[in-house]
Amino acid sequence: GIRRAYHSMAEIQFAAGARAVLPLHSDADYVKTPAAARRMIDTLSLELYRARLGSAHVMGGCAMGEDPRGAVVDSLGRHHQLENLSIHDGSLFPTSIGANPQLSIYALAAKLSSLLADRL
Ligand SMILES: Cc1cc2nc3c(=O)[nH]c(=O)nc-3n(C[C@H](O)[C@H](O)[C@H](O)COP(=O)(O)OP(=O)(O)OC[C@H]3O[C@@H](n4cnc5c(N)ncnc54)[C@H](O)[C@@H]3O)c2cc1C
């Protein structure tokens, strides 16, 4: 999947008019044609720490829901198994929401924290 992503990104960048493309890999170098990109990407080792991956919008790690079989916390952010643990952050979304999340996270955290304060 990672190699396919390198290929797709290089194709997209050349198609958009890039004169050189640099895959985010420790052993990669600038390539100037789609054919050179294909050849180089096919040789890149995918061992740990050489292929660099990053995301600024990781969400959904503690998805909320009433059914403990499919959710980590309930709809008030209370952990289904650990008593007295509440989670109020971007991990409550079912998955990455596909848009800038900060305002939604602020809203969710403000609402759930106010309710938690009331309960306490
Ligand atoms: C480079 C970048 C650019 C972004 N740009 C935008 C943007 O323009 N617009 C937008 O809407 N969103 C943007 N985001 C996404 C947004 O910033 C995050 O989705 C949001 O901040 C996540 O909020 P959060 O409260 O869920 O988690 P975080 O903000 O990650 O907060 C988690 C907190 O928990 C603390 N923590 C971790 N472990 C522990 C521990 N064991 N004990 C105590 N504390 C701990 C951390 O120090 C941190 O303060 C961007 C993200 C990045 C990385």
Side-chain angles (χ1 to χ4, degrees), residues 75-98:
S75 53
L76 294 176
R78 295 176 301 192
H79 198 281
H80 279 302
Q81 279 82 34
L82 299 173
E83 208 181 323
N84 204 26
L85 171 65
S86 292
I87 303 173
H88 299 171
D89 64 16
S91 67
L92 300 186
F93 294 130
T95 182
S96 182
I97 61 177

Side-chain angles (χ1 to χ4, degrees), residues 55-59 88-91 100-103 105:
S55 173
H57 288 177
V58 183
M59 291 161 245
H88 299 171
D89 64 16
S91 67
N100 276 335
Q102 260 181 52
L103 291 177
I105 296 171

Side-chain angles (χ1 to χ4, degrees), residues 1-16 21 37-38 41:
I2 292 169
R3 198 181 301 284
R4 210 164 53 236
Y6 282 141
H7 279 300
S8 302
M9 288 188 283
E11 275 175 37
I12 289 167
Q13 288 163 359
F14 279 120
V21 162
R38 277 194 293 277
I41 290 168

Side-chain angles (χ1 to χ4, degrees), residues 26-96:
S26 302
D27 304 324
D29 211 345
Y30 280 102
V31 278
K32 295 196 170 152
T33 66
R38 277 194 293 277
R39 278 195 302 277
M40 181 185 65
I41 290 168
D42 279 337
T43 67
L44 293 176
S45 161
L46 296 181
E47 72 183 274
L48 209 55
Y49 303 126
R50 304 213 73 73
R52 288 183 246 150
L53 303 175
S55 173
H57 288 177
V58 183
M59 291 161 245
C62 299
M64 62 158 48
E66 295 307 325
D67 185 350
R69 288 171 304 175
V72 178
V73 298
D74 67 14
S75 53
L76 294 176
R78 295 176 301 192
H79 198 281
H80 279 302
Q81 279 82 34
L82 299 173
E83 208 181 323
N84 204 26
L85 171 65
S86 292
I87 303 173
H88 299 171
D89 64 16
S91 67
L92 300 186
F93 294 130
T95 182
S96 182

